Amino acid sequence: MQRVNSFTTNPERIIGLVFLIFLVTLLGCSVTALGDKKMQVEVDMFSGRPNPHWELTVPESQEFARRFQSLSAHKGEGFVNEGLGYRGLIVRESGEEVEGDRDIVIYQGLVVAKRQDKSQQFTDQNRALEKWLIQTGEGRLDDVLYHQISKLAEQK
């Protein structure tokens, strides 16, 4: 009788697992834990007054974590806009202090996960994550502002 080995080595799964372990180490938490709490989305666009923000529900936070986990590592150089006007979205756990805690900045196809002095960059293909997050703001943001940032997310 021949024994069948049910465990096969798949290089893509191993690379994915190593990447996930690296991400967990970098961010200091598991991706699952990321979606277990409500998340806050902030539109980074004003200076001199508070930025608009809204809270994701737990199911939306879980969907955000799923989408975030599916992003691929960004190859090459990238930067998040630090000028005037729309500078993207900042996602963090609701109620958390900004300094020293995890922030995820999403802007024009680039996602930067930051925690203290460490960061990792990912590619948001076709700005899908950014557009989805903006859609969750419908009805939670002022209508004029919502339509304004929706148009900005459509631009290249």
Side-chain angles (χ1 to χ4, degrees):
M1 178 187 286
Q2 203 173 25
R3 184 169 185 232
V4 177
N5 185 357
S6 61
F7 178 78
T8 58
T9 309
N10 181 336
E12 292 171 353
R13 291 185 96 169
I14 292 171
I15 291 169
L17 181 59
V18 169
F19 177 73
L20 184 58
I21 291 169
F22 173 76
L23 180 63
V24 166
T25 302
L26 175 71
L27 296 177
C29 71
S30 70
V31 173
T32 304
L34 182 66
D36 288 344
K37 296 182 179 179
K38 288 183 179 179
M39 306 294 289
Q40 177 182 297
V41 181
E42 177 182 330
V43 181
D44 189 12
M45 68 184 304
F46 296 135
S47 54
R49 66 177 178 155
N51 285 319
H53 64 276
W54 66 96
E55 196 170 79
L56 297 177
T57 63
V58 171
E60 288 170 334
S61 296
Q62 291 168 341
E63 177 64 14
F64 171 78
R66 187 193 67 74
R67 288 171 182 257
F68 179 78
Q69 183 180 9
S70 72
L71 298 175
S72 58
H74 181 73
K75 295 176 180 153
E77 300 228 358
F79 67 94
V80 177
N81 183 14
E82 294 182 4
L84 297 174
Y86 177 70
R87 296 177 298 271
L89 304 171
I90 302 169
V91 181
R92 64 179 64 96
E93 289 180 12
S94 293
E96 295 294 316
E97 294 296 321
V98 177
E99 194 166 330
D101 288 335
R102 178 184 50 251
D103 281 344
I104 301 171
V105 180
I106 303 155
Y107 179 69
Q108 291 190 344
L110 181 66
V111 177
V112 181
K114 301 178 189 178
R115 184 173 181 112
Q116 295 171 343
D117 61 345
K118 299 175 188 174
S119 69
Q120 177 72 34
Q121 295 185 354
F122 303 91
T123 300
D124 181 13
Q125 193 72 26
N126 299 316
R127 298 174 75 178
L129 181 60
E130 183 177 9
K131 291 173 184 176
W132 176 80
L133 276 170
I134 290 170
Q135 288 175 353
T136 67
E138 187 173 18
R140 298 173 179 166
L141 290 172
D142 173 76
D143 285 342
V144 173
L145 178 62
Y146 173 76
H147 291 296
Q148 181 184 9
I149 63 171
S150 292
K151 287 179 185 177
L152 291 171
E154 295 298 325
Q155 297 173 357
K156 290 256 175 180

